[in-house]
Amino acid sequence: MWVIRGVFIYRANIGAKPFPRSEIIPPGDDINAIPIIRDGILPHPKAIHIVVLEVILMKKPYDPTKRPRWSWYFYDFGNSAYASVILLAVYSAYFKGAVVGGAEGTRLWGLSVGIAAVLVAVISPILGTIADYSKKKKAFLMGFTALSVVFTAMLFFVRKGDVFTGMLYFILAEIGYRGAQVFYDALLTSVSTPENIGSVSGKGWAIGMLGGIAALILVLIPIKLISGFLVPIAFLITAVFYLVSSIPTLLWVKEIDEASGEKPEKGNIRVAFERLAQTFRSIKSYKEFIKYTVAFLIYNDGIMMLMDFAAIIGATLFGMDQTQLILFVIVIQISGAAGALLFGKISDRTSSKDSILISLVMLIACIVALMFVDSLVLFFVVGFFAGFSLSGAQAVSRSMVSQLAPAAKVAEFYGFLSVAGRTSTFIGPLVFGTLSFRMNNWYLNHGFDAVTAEHYGLYWAIGSIIVFLVVGLLFLLLVKRVTAKDPMLYESGK
């Protein structure tokens, strides 16, 4: 891009007024040959002069990271469609209500999510190790993305009574989605610098939230407004949305790391296990990452509990219908996009640790406020700020991993973080559901009516979210504060 800085002809008796050198070009003269003009002083106080201000054609410096960075953002834009439509708003409810029905649908949905989570938790560290060694993060990313896209589209064929295929296709799509996320996160260091990694991660998360909103609008409006619209068509739309958004990453993101790119003589699988064993043996060298993983595991449990049960909380405590729940999700996505951007900036200006701590404090305050909210309007307000802080914590959490990981083990460390996240899929929701169920029964056994007992049981479960967030925050305080100026250093070769 060429920008004309300025062209100006001035005729006046301007006396001995000084001008910056760059503003004076004597027509037809060599500026360096006239010392008085060269220094910015016109030679005679009463002379009339024509001064032509310098014409500068200035080309903006080329930023080689801009296209790869935006290509990386667009992947988040696309895979958020899967998260919003399949996990949150449409397929989960479709599977429970239309495919299976009743409480059995809820149980089988949880089982499907759990099976996928276990499989991803097992394979992620191994695949991360292979990707780090072989310089094939992008290849693994695209392979898992293809798996998710194909079986997201296959959900179109799931109809009432197709319980096995409904579970199988979802599990495979979920494995693809979760597995791809490991390698997508690991490419963060290839599209950012230590100085802007927080804001890049936050912007990616924010753009992802916008992608989720776009997908919800794209598939949910027809479901509501078009008579006879088949819900499974939404799954085809989501698959195409996801696929198209992933193409820029395939074309323009290039890996920048310390991997050799050579196939080891021993074979990738064997090397993967050897490197994992080495990581465990040298665990003392990575103590900050281990401490952070423990903190993340705990506070992420609280985050996952809130995300998994937000709709249940809204429907049970405030009687929200499907349309209100959809609007509520969109509000959370919008505030989440803003939160991811803001907390990404805070991460760059201070540290990722500080940014996560602030977001967790804000989220804890929101959950405490939820215990006292008694109207739908206030529930939307609390949800707005909860989404704002929750997305900030999630966005910065992945940038903190890259700051704590050795350069040659980035994907491997993201794999370990994935284990923590997948474990949360079990622990947090299990605690929430069990506590709510048991306290509901306790109140029923003590003479409370069914509605009141269910509400009180749910409040106990909401309280458990606060416990997870507070304990996770306390563990995070023990982790070293890492910044671009004070990076995490490891011995060479580790």
mmCIF file with all atom_site columns, all heavy atoms in Angstrom, residues 184-208:
data_model
loop_
_atom_site.group_PDB
_atom_site.id
_atom_site.type_symbol
_atom_site.label_atom_id
_atom_site.label_alt_id
_atom_site.label_comp_id
_atom_site.label_asym_id
_atom_site.label_entity_id
_atom_site.label_seq_id
_atom_site.pdbx_PDB_ins_code
_atom_site.Cartn_x
_atom_site.Cartn_y
_atom_site.Cartn_z
_atom_site.occupancy
_atom_site.B_iso_or_equiv
_atom_site.pdbx_formal_charge
_atom_site.auth_seq_id
_atom_site.auth_comp_id
_atom_site.auth_asym_id
_atom_site.auth_atom_id
_atom_site.pdbx_PDB_model_num
ATOM 1   N N   . TYR A 1 184 ? -3.955  -27.415 16.847 1.00 0.00 ? 184 TYR A N   1
ATOM 2   C CA  . TYR A 1 184 ? -4.257  -26.008 16.557 1.00 0.00 ? 184 TYR A CA  1
ATOM 3   C C   . TYR A 1 184 ? -3.630  -25.110 17.618 1.00 0.00 ? 184 TYR A C   1
ATOM 4   O O   . TYR A 1 184 ? -2.972  -24.109 17.302 1.00 0.00 ? 184 TYR A O   1
ATOM 5   C CB  . TYR A 1 184 ? -5.772  -25.810 16.510 1.00 0.00 ? 184 TYR A CB  1
ATOM 6   C CG  . TYR A 1 184 ? -6.185  -24.355 16.460 1.00 0.00 ? 184 TYR A CG  1
ATOM 7   C CD1 . TYR A 1 184 ? -6.023  -23.613 15.301 1.00 0.00 ? 184 TYR A CD1 1
ATOM 8   C CD2 . TYR A 1 184 ? -6.730  -23.725 17.578 1.00 0.00 ? 184 TYR A CD2 1
ATOM 9   C CE1 . TYR A 1 184 ? -6.387  -22.274 15.245 1.00 0.00 ? 184 TYR A CE1 1
ATOM 10  C CE2 . TYR A 1 184 ? -7.101  -22.398 17.537 1.00 0.00 ? 184 TYR A CE2 1
ATOM 11  C CZ  . TYR A 1 184 ? -6.932  -21.671 16.359 1.00 0.00 ? 184 TYR A CZ  1
ATOM 12  O OH  . TYR A 1 184 ? -7.282  -20.341 16.327 1.00 0.00 ? 184 TYR A OH  1
ATOM 13  N N   . ASP A 1 185 ? -3.815  -25.454 18.874 1.00 0.00 ? 185 ASP A N   1
ATOM 14  C CA  . ASP A 1 185 ? -3.220  -24.666 19.955 1.00 0.00 ? 185 ASP A CA  1
ATOM 15  C C   . ASP A 1 185 ? -1.696  -24.659 19.853 1.00 0.00 ? 185 ASP A C   1
ATOM 16  O O   . ASP A 1 185 ? -1.043  -23.645 20.128 1.00 0.00 ? 185 ASP A O   1
ATOM 17  C CB  . ASP A 1 185 ? -3.641  -25.234 21.315 1.00 0.00 ? 185 ASP A CB  1
ATOM 18  C CG  . ASP A 1 185 ? -5.095  -24.955 21.639 1.00 0.00 ? 185 ASP A CG  1
ATOM 19  O OD1 . ASP A 1 185 ? -5.716  -24.124 20.950 1.00 0.00 ? 185 ASP A OD1 1
ATOM 20  O OD2 . ASP A 1 185 ? -5.628  -25.584 22.585 1.00 0.00 ? 185 ASP A OD2 1
ATOM 21  N N   . ALA A 1 186 ? -1.114  -25.799 19.464 1.00 0.00 ? 186 ALA A N   1
ATOM 22  C CA  . ALA A 1 186 ? 0.337   -25.900 19.372 1.00 0.00 ? 186 ALA A CA  1
ATOM 23  C C   . ALA A 1 186 ? 0.905   -25.019 18.263 1.00 0.00 ? 186 ALA A C   1
ATOM 24  O O   . ALA A 1 186 ? 2.086   -24.649 18.298 1.00 0.00 ? 186 ALA A O   1
ATOM 25  C CB  . ALA A 1 186 ? 0.747   -27.350 19.138 1.00 0.00 ? 186 ALA A CB  1
ATOM 26  N N   . LEU A 1 187 ? 0.098   -24.652 17.265 1.00 0.00 ? 187 LEU A N   1
ATOM 27  C CA  . LEU A 1 187 ? 0.551   -23.762 16.188 1.00 0.00 ? 187 LEU A CA  1
ATOM 28  C C   . LEU A 1 187 ? 0.541   -22.298 16.604 1.00 0.00 ? 187 LEU A C   1
ATOM 29  O O   . LEU A 1 187 ? 0.970   -21.439 15.832 1.00 0.00 ? 187 LEU A O   1
ATOM 30  C CB  . LEU A 1 187 ? -0.331  -23.947 14.954 1.00 0.00 ? 187 LEU A CB  1
ATOM 31  C CG  . LEU A 1 187 ? -0.120  -25.233 14.149 1.00 0.00 ? 187 LEU A CG  1
ATOM 32  C CD1 . LEU A 1 187 ? -1.195  -25.371 13.076 1.00 0.00 ? 187 LEU A CD1 1
ATOM 33  C CD2 . LEU A 1 187 ? 1.264   -25.256 13.523 1.00 0.00 ? 187 LEU A CD2 1
ATOM 34  N N   . LEU A 1 188 ? 0.071   -22.012 17.818 1.00 0.00 ? 188 LEU A N   1
ATOM 35  C CA  . LEU A 1 188 ? 0.027   -20.629 18.289 1.00 0.00 ? 188 LEU A CA  1
ATOM 36  C C   . LEU A 1 188 ? 1.404   -19.979 18.231 1.00 0.00 ? 188 LEU A C   1
ATOM 37  O O   . LEU A 1 188 ? 1.544   -18.819 17.849 1.00 0.00 ? 188 LEU A O   1
ATOM 38  C CB  . LEU A 1 188 ? -0.532  -20.582 19.721 1.00 0.00 ? 188 LEU A CB  1
ATOM 39  C CG  . LEU A 1 188 ? -0.508  -19.233 20.442 1.00 0.00 ? 188 LEU A CG  1
ATOM 40  C CD1 . LEU A 1 188 ? -1.296  -18.194 19.671 1.00 0.00 ? 188 LEU A CD1 1
ATOM 41  C CD2 . LEU A 1 188 ? -1.075  -19.393 21.856 1.00 0.00 ? 188 LEU A CD2 1
ATOM 42  N N   . THR A 1 189 ? 2.444   -20.722 18.601 1.00 0.00 ? 189 THR A N   1
ATOM 43  C CA  . THR A 1 189 ? 3.794   -20.154 18.605 1.00 0.00 ? 189 THR A CA  1
ATOM 44  C C   . THR A 1 189 ? 4.316   -19.909 17.195 1.00 0.00 ? 189 THR A C   1
ATOM 45  O O   . THR A 1 189 ? 5.305   -19.195 17.019 1.00 0.00 ? 189 THR A O   1
ATOM 46  C CB  . THR A 1 189 ? 4.772   -21.079 19.343 1.00 0.00 ? 189 THR A CB  1
ATOM 47  O OG1 . THR A 1 189 ? 4.699   -22.394 18.772 1.00 0.00 ? 189 THR A OG1 1
ATOM 48  C CG2 . THR A 1 189 ? 4.421   -21.157 20.821 1.00 0.00 ? 189 THR A CG2 1
ATOM 49  N N   . SER A 1 190 ? 3.680   -20.487 16.178 1.00 0.00 ? 190 SER A N   1
ATOM 50  C CA  . SER A 1 190 ? 4.099   -20.270 14.794 1.00 0.00 ? 190 SER A CA  1
ATOM 51  C C   . SER A 1 190 ? 3.479   -19.020 14.189 1.00 0.00 ? 190 SER A C   1
ATOM 52  O O   . SER A 1 190 ? 3.892   -18.593 13.107 1.00 0.00 ? 190 SER A O   1
ATOM 53  C CB  . SER A 1 190 ? 3.735   -21.492 13.938 1.00 0.00 ? 190 SER A CB  1
ATOM 54  O OG  . SER A 1 190 ? 4.450   -22.636 14.339 1.00 0.00 ? 190 SER A OG  1
ATOM 55  N N   . VAL A 1 191 ? 2.488   -18.434 14.857 1.00 0.00 ? 191 VAL A N   1
ATOM 56  C CA  . VAL A 1 191 ? 1.815   -17.250 14.318 1.00 0.00 ? 191 VAL A CA  1
ATOM 57  C C   . VAL A 1 191 ? 1.894   -16.070 15.279 1.00 0.00 ? 191 VAL A C   1
ATOM 58  O O   . VAL A 1 191 ? 1.172   -15.086 15.122 1.00 0.00 ? 191 VAL A O   1
ATOM 59  C CB  . VAL A 1 191 ? 0.339   -17.558 13.982 1.00 0.00 ? 191 VAL A CB  1
ATOM 60  C CG1 . VAL A 1 191 ? 0.254   -18.597 12.877 1.00 0.00 ? 191 VAL A CG1 1
ATOM 61  C CG2 . VAL A 1 191 ? -0.430  -18.017 15.208 1.00 0.00 ? 191 VAL A CG2 1
ATOM 62  N N   . SER A 1 192 ? 2.761   -16.164 16.276 1.00 0.00 ? 192 SER A N   1
ATOM 63  C CA  . SER A 1 192 ? 2.854   -15.096 17.278 1.00 0.00 ? 192 SER A CA  1
ATOM 64  C C   . SER A 1 192 ? 4.293   -14.959 17.738 1.00 0.00 ? 192 SER A C   1
ATOM 65  O O   . SER A 1 192 ? 5.170   -15.751 17.380 1.00 0.00 ? 192 SER A O   1
ATOM 66  C CB  . SER A 1 192 ? 1.942   -15.392 18.474 1.00 0.00 ? 192 SER A CB  1
ATOM 67  O OG  . SER A 1 192 ? 2.362   -16.577 19.138 1.00 0.00 ? 192 SER A OG  1
ATOM 68  N N   . THR A 1 193 ? 4.525   -13.949 18.551 1.00 0.00 ? 193 THR A N   1
ATOM 69  C CA  . THR A 1 193 ? 5.824   -13.725 19.181 1.00 0.00 ? 193 THR A CA  1
ATOM 70  C C   . THR A 1 193 ? 5.633   -13.733 20.695 1.00 0.00 ? 193 THR A C   1
ATOM 71  O O   . THR A 1 193 ? 4.501   -13.638 21.182 1.00 0.00 ? 193 THR A O   1
ATOM 72  C CB  . THR A 1 193 ? 6.409   -12.366 18.752 1.00 0.00 ? 193 THR A CB  1
ATOM 73  O OG1 . THR A 1 193 ? 5.569   -11.314 19.276 1.00 0.00 ? 193 THR A OG1 1
ATOM 74  C CG2 . THR A 1 193 ? 6.480   -12.255 17.236 1.00 0.00 ? 193 THR A CG2 1
ATOM 75  N N   . PRO A 1 194 ? 6.733   -13.820 21.463 1.00 0.00 ? 194 PRO A N   1
ATOM 76  C CA  . PRO A 1 194 ? 6.574   -13.763 22.920 1.00 0.00 ? 194 PRO A CA  1
ATOM 77  C C   . PRO A 1 194 ? 5.897   -12.487 23.394 1.00 0.00 ? 194 PRO A C   1
ATOM 78  O O   . PRO A 1 194 ? 5.238   -12.482 24.439 1.00 0.00 ? 194 PRO A O   1
ATOM 79  C CB  . PRO A 1 194 ? 8.024   -13.844 23.432 1.00 0.00 ? 194 PRO A CB  1
ATOM 80  C CG  . PRO A 1 194 ? 8.753   -14.590 22.369 1.00 0.00 ? 194 PRO A CG  1
ATOM 81  C CD  . PRO A 1 194 ? 8.124   -14.130 21.071 1.00 0.00 ? 194 PRO A CD  1
ATOM 82  N N   . GLU A 1 195 ? 6.035   -11.402 22.603 1.00 0.00 ? 195 GLU A N   1
ATOM 83  C CA  . GLU A 1 195 ? 5.448   -10.121 23.012 1.00 0.00 ? 195 GLU A CA  1
ATOM 84  C C   . GLU A 1 195 ? 3.951   -10.044 22.759 1.00 0.00 ? 195 GLU A C   1
ATOM 85  O O   . GLU A 1 195 ? 3.244   -9.317  23.467 1.00 0.00 ? 195 GLU A O   1
ATOM 86  C CB  . GLU A 1 195 ? 6.146   -8.966  22.274 1.00 0.00 ? 195 GLU A CB  1
ATOM 87  C CG  . GLU A 1 195 ? 7.587   -8.709  22.697 1.00 0.00 ? 195 GLU A CG  1
ATOM 88  C CD  . GLU A 1 195 ? 8.551   -9.762  22.172 1.00 0.00 ? 195 GLU A CD  1
ATOM 89  O OE1 . GLU A 1 195 ? 8.227   -10.425 21.163 1.00 0.00 ? 195 GLU A OE1 1
ATOM 90  O OE2 . GLU A 1 195 ? 9.632   -9.921  22.776 1.00 0.00 ? 195 GLU A OE2 1
ATOM 91  N N   . ASN A 1 196 ? 3.433   -10.759 21.741 1.00 0.00 ? 196 ASN A N   1
ATOM 92  C CA  . ASN A 1 196 ? 2.012   -10.615 21.417 1.00 0.00 ? 196 ASN A CA  1
ATOM 93  C C   . ASN A 1 196 ? 1.223   -11.910 21.526 1.00 0.00 ? 196 ASN A C   1
ATOM 94  O O   . ASN A 1 196 ? 0.081   -11.985 21.091 1.00 0.00 ? 196 ASN A O   1
ATOM 95  C CB  . ASN A 1 196 ? 1.841   -10.023 20.014 1.00 0.00 ? 196 ASN A CB  1
ATOM 96  C CG  . ASN A 1 196 ? 2.256   -10.989 18.909 1.00 0.00 ? 196 ASN A CG  1
ATOM 97  O OD1 . ASN A 1 196 ? 2.597   -12.145 19.157 1.00 0.00 ? 196 ASN A OD1 1
ATOM 98  N ND2 . ASN A 1 196 ? 2.236   -10.514 17.679 1.00 0.00 ? 196 ASN A ND2 1
ATOM 99  N N   . ILE A 1 197 ? 1.823   -12.923 22.115 1.00 0.00 ? 197 ILE A N   1
ATOM 100 C CA  . ILE A 1 197 ? 1.164   -14.238 22.141 1.00 0.00 ? 197 ILE A CA  1
ATOM 101 C C   . ILE A 1 197 ? -0.177  -14.193 22.871 1.00 0.00 ? 197 ILE A C   1
ATOM 102 O O   . ILE A 1 197 ? -1.141  -14.867 22.474 1.00 0.00 ? 197 ILE A O   1
ATOM 103 C CB  . ILE A 1 197 ? 2.097   -15.303 22.766 1.00 0.00 ? 197 ILE A CB  1
ATOM 104 C CG1 . ILE A 1 197 ? 1.509   -16.695 22.555 1.00 0.00 ? 197 ILE A CG1 1
ATOM 105 C CG2 . ILE A 1 197 ? 2.363   -15.019 24.242 1.00 0.00 ? 197 ILE A CG2 1
ATOM 106 C CD1 . ILE A 1 197 ? 2.471   -17.808 22.919 1.00 0.00 ? 197 ILE A CD1 1
ATOM 107 N N   . GLY A 1 198 ? -0.263  -13.387 23.930 1.00 0.00 ? 198 GLY A N   1
ATOM 108 C CA  . GLY A 1 198 ? -1.516  -13.300 24.672 1.00 0.00 ? 198 GLY A CA  1
ATOM 109 C C   . GLY A 1 198 ? -2.630  -12.683 23.848 1.00 0.00 ? 198 GLY A C   1
ATOM 110 O O   . GLY A 1 198 ? -3.755  -13.192 23.805 1.00 0.00 ? 198 GLY A O   1
ATOM 111 N N   . SER A 1 199 ? -2.324  -11.576 23.157 1.00 0.00 ? 199 SER A N   1
ATOM 112 C CA  . SER A 1 199 ? -3.348  -10.912 22.360 1.00 0.00 ? 199 SER A CA  1
ATOM 113 C C   . SER A 1 199 ? -3.722  -11.739 21.137 1.00 0.00 ? 199 SER A C   1
ATOM 114 O O   . SER A 1 199 ? -4.886  -11.750 20.723 1.00 0.00 ? 199 SER A O   1
ATOM 115 C CB  . SER A 1 199 ? -2.875  -9.522  21.928 1.00 0.00 ? 199 SER A CB  1
ATOM 116 O OG  . SER A 1 199 ? -1.697  -9.600  21.170 1.00 0.00 ? 199 SER A OG  1
ATOM 117 N N   . VAL A 1 200 ? -2.757  -12.446 20.549 1.00 0.00 ? 200 VAL A N   1
ATOM 118 C CA  . VAL A 1 200 ? -3.063  -13.313 19.405 1.00 0.00 ? 200 VAL A CA  1
ATOM 119 C C   . VAL A 1 200 ? -4.000  -14.439 19.836 1.00 0.00 ? 200 VAL A C   1
ATOM 120 O O   . VAL A 1 200 ? -4.992  -14.740 19.175 1.00 0.00 ? 200 VAL A O   1
ATOM 121 C CB  . VAL A 1 200 ? -1.775  -13.885 18.787 1.00 0.00 ? 200 VAL A CB  1
ATOM 122 C CG1 . VAL A 1 200 ? -2.104  -14.977 17.761 1.00 0.00 ? 200 VAL A CG1 1
ATOM 123 C CG2 . VAL A 1 200 ? -0.967  -12.781 18.124 1.00 0.00 ? 200 VAL A CG2 1
ATOM 124 N N   . SER A 1 201 ? -3.677  -15.063 20.969 1.00 0.00 ? 201 SER A N   1
ATOM 125 C CA  . SER A 1 201 ? -4.538  -16.126 21.483 1.00 0.00 ? 201 SER A CA  1
ATOM 126 C C   . SER A 1 201 ? -5.928  -15.585 21.804 1.00 0.00 ? 201 SER A C   1
ATOM 127 O O   . SER A 1 201 ? -6.944  -16.206 21.470 1.00 0.00 ? 201 SER A O   1
ATOM 128 C CB  . SER A 1 201 ? -3.917  -16.743 22.746 1.00 0.00 ? 201 SER A CB  1
ATOM 129 O OG  . SER A 1 201 ? -4.749  -17.742 23.288 1.00 0.00 ? 201 SER A OG  1
ATOM 130 N N   . GLY A 1 202 ? -5.981  -14.425 22.442 1.00 0.00 ? 202 GLY A N   1
ATOM 131 C CA  . GLY A 1 202 ? -7.263  -13.820 22.790 1.00 0.00 ? 202 GLY A CA  1
ATOM 132 C C   . GLY A 1 202 ? -8.076  -13.452 21.563 1.00 0.00 ? 202 GLY A C   1
ATOM 133 O O   . GLY A 1 202 ? -9.292  -13.665 21.512 1.00 0.00 ? 202 GLY A O   1
ATOM 134 N N   . LYS A 1 203 ? -7.408  -12.908 20.548 1.00 0.00 ? 203 LYS A N   1
ATOM 135 C CA  . LYS A 1 203 ? -8.124  -12.547 19.324 1.00 0.00 ? 203 LYS A CA  1
ATOM 136 C C   . LYS A 1 203 ? -8.651  -13.796 18.625 1.00 0.00 ? 203 LYS A C   1
ATOM 137 O O   . LYS A 1 203 ? -9.774  -13.799 18.101 1.00 0.00 ? 203 LYS A O   1
ATOM 138 C CB  . LYS A 1 203 ? -7.215  -11.756 18.387 1.00 0.00 ? 203 LYS A CB  1
ATOM 139 C CG  . LYS A 1 203 ? -7.930  -11.235 17.154 1.00 0.00 ? 203 LYS A CG  1
ATOM 140 C CD  . LYS A 1 203 ? -7.018  -10.375 16.290 1.00 0.00 ? 203 LYS A CD  1
ATOM 141 C CE  . LYS A 1 203 ? -6.739  -9.036  16.958 1.00 0.00 ? 203 LYS A CE  1
ATOM 142 N NZ  . LYS A 1 203 ? -5.969  -8.139  16.057 1.00 0.00 ? 203 LYS A NZ  1
ATOM 143 N N   . GLY A 1 204 ? -7.848  -14.859 18.618 1.00 0.00 ? 204 GLY A N   1
ATOM 144 C CA  . GLY A 1 204 ? -8.318  -16.112 18.023 1.00 0.00 ? 204 GLY A CA  1
ATOM 145 C C   . GLY A 1 204 ? -9.549  -16.626 18.731 1.00 0.00 ? 204 GLY A C   1
ATOM 146 O O   . GLY A 1 204 ? -10.519 -17.072 18.090 1.00 0.00 ? 204 GLY A O   1
ATOM 147 N N   . TRP A 1 205 ? -9.521  -16.562 20.055 1.00 0.00 ? 205 TRP A N   1
ATOM 148 C CA  . TRP A 1 205 ? -10.673 -17.022 20.832 1.00 0.00 ? 205 TRP A CA  1
ATOM 149 C C   . TRP A 1 205 ? -11.892 -16.147 20.546 1.00 0.00 ? 205 TRP A C   1
ATOM 150 O O   . TRP A 1 205 ? -13.010 -16.641 20.385 1.00 0.00 ? 205 TRP A O   1
ATOM 151 C CB  . TRP A 1 205 ? -10.343 -16.997 22.320 1.00 0.00 ? 205 TRP A CB  1
ATOM 152 C CG  . TRP A 1 205 ? -11.236 -17.883 23.122 1.00 0.00 ? 205 TRP A CG  1
ATOM 153 C CD1 . TRP A 1 205 ? -12.494 -17.609 23.579 1.00 0.00 ? 205 TRP A CD1 1
ATOM 154 C CD2 . TRP A 1 205 ? -10.956 -19.217 23.551 1.00 0.00 ? 205 TRP A CD2 1
ATOM 155 N NE1 . TRP A 1 205 ? -13.003 -18.675 24.269 1.00 0.00 ? 205 TRP A NE1 1
ATOM 156 C CE2 . TRP A 1 205 ? -12.079 -19.676 24.271 1.00 0.00 ? 205 TRP A CE2 1
ATOM 157 C CE3 . TRP A 1 205 ? -9.857  -20.059 23.406 1.00 0.00 ? 205 TRP A CE3 1
ATOM 158 C CZ2 . TRP A 1 205 ? -12.134 -20.940 24.839 1.00 0.00 ? 205 TRP A CZ2 1
ATOM 159 C CZ3 . TRP A 1 205 ? -9.912  -21.315 23.977 1.00 0.00 ? 205 TRP A CZ3 1
ATOM 160 C CH2 . TRP A 1 205 ? -11.041 -21.749 24.685 1.00 0.00 ? 205 TRP A CH2 1
ATOM 161 N N   . ALA A 1 206 ? -11.676 -14.830 20.464 1.00 0.00 ? 206 ALA A N   1
ATOM 162 C CA  . ALA A 1 206 ? -12.784 -13.911 20.201 1.00 0.00 ? 206 ALA A CA  1
ATOM 163 C C   . ALA A 1 206 ? -13.396 -14.164 18.827 1.00 0.00 ? 206 ALA A C   1
ATOM 164 O O   . ALA A 1 206 ? -14.620 -14.187 18.666 1.00 0.00 ? 206 ALA A O   1
ATOM 165 C CB  . ALA A 1 206 ? -12.291 -12.468 20.301 1.00 0.00 ? 206 ALA A CB  1
ATOM 166 N N   . ILE A 1 207 ? -12.545 -14.345 17.820 1.00 0.00 ? 207 ILE A N   1
ATOM 167 C CA  . ILE A 1 207 ? -13.048 -14.630 16.475 1.00 0.00 ? 207 ILE A CA  1
ATOM 168 C C   . ILE A 1 207 ? -13.778 -15.968 16.469 1.00 0.00 ? 207 ILE A C   1
ATOM 169 O O   . ILE A 1 207 ? -14.785 -16.142 15.767 1.00 0.00 ? 207 ILE A O   1
ATOM 170 C CB  . ILE A 1 207 ? -11.891 -14.611 15.463 1.00 0.00 ? 207 ILE A CB  1
ATOM 171 C CG1 . ILE A 1 207 ? -11.374 -13.171 15.312 1.00 0.00 ? 207 ILE A CG1 1
ATOM 172 C CG2 . ILE A 1 207 ? -12.319 -15.172 14.107 1.00 0.00 ? 207 ILE A CG2 1
ATOM 173 C CD1 . ILE A 1 207 ? -10.141 -13.037 14.464 1.00 0.00 ? 207 ILE A CD1 1
ATOM 174 N N   . GLY A 1 208 ? -13.293 -16.906 17.269 1.00 0.00 ? 208 GLY A N   1
ATOM 175 C CA  . GLY A 1 208 ? -13.987 -18.178 17.403 1.00 0.00 ? 208 GLY A CA  1
ATOM 176 C C   . GLY A 1 208 ? -15.384 -18.001 17.979 1.00 0.00 ? 208 GLY A C   1
ATOM 177 O O   . GLY A 1 208 ? -16.351 -18.630 17.513 1.00 0.00 ? 208 GLY A O   1
#
